[in-house]
Amino acid sequence: MSLWKKIGLGVVAALAVLFLVPGGWKFLLVLLAVTVFGVFLWWQWFQDSSPPNRDPAPPHGSRWDDRTERWR
């Protein structure tokens, strides 16, 4: 089954819950909030797991000075 078919079935199921189940909008709202919070937590973990860029690239045409241990 393709991704678009799965998304379509999910939308149809959500609409069915919304219109056929009394109070279904509350369930969908909670489901949406949990999904958004999960994506937020994943994004925070993803940013924290990437290595920080503490050593910027030297300017173009510069060379390392052993005396001062800096780029010139």
Side-chain angles (χ1 to χ4, degrees), residues 25-72:
W25 65 272
K26 296 175 192 174
F27 172 74
L28 290 178
L29 191 63
V30 168
L31 188 64
L32 179 66
V34 167
T35 303
V36 168
F37 186 64
V39 169
F40 171 75
L41 288 178
W42 173 82
W43 185 253
Q44 293 297 318
W45 171 81
F46 181 73
Q47 285 182 335
D48 289 343
S49 65
S50 61
N53 189 6
R54 295 187 183 141
D55 190 17
H60 180 68
S62 61
R63 56 189 170 84
W64 183 254
D65 187 0
D66 288 327
R67 186 175 50 86
T68 61
E69 295 186 351
R70 297 181 68 184
W71 291 101
R72 296 188 81 177

Side-chain angles (χ1 to χ4, degrees), residues 1 3 7 17 33 49 54:
M1 182 181 293
L3 178 62
I7 291 173
V17 168
S49 65
R54 295 187 183 141

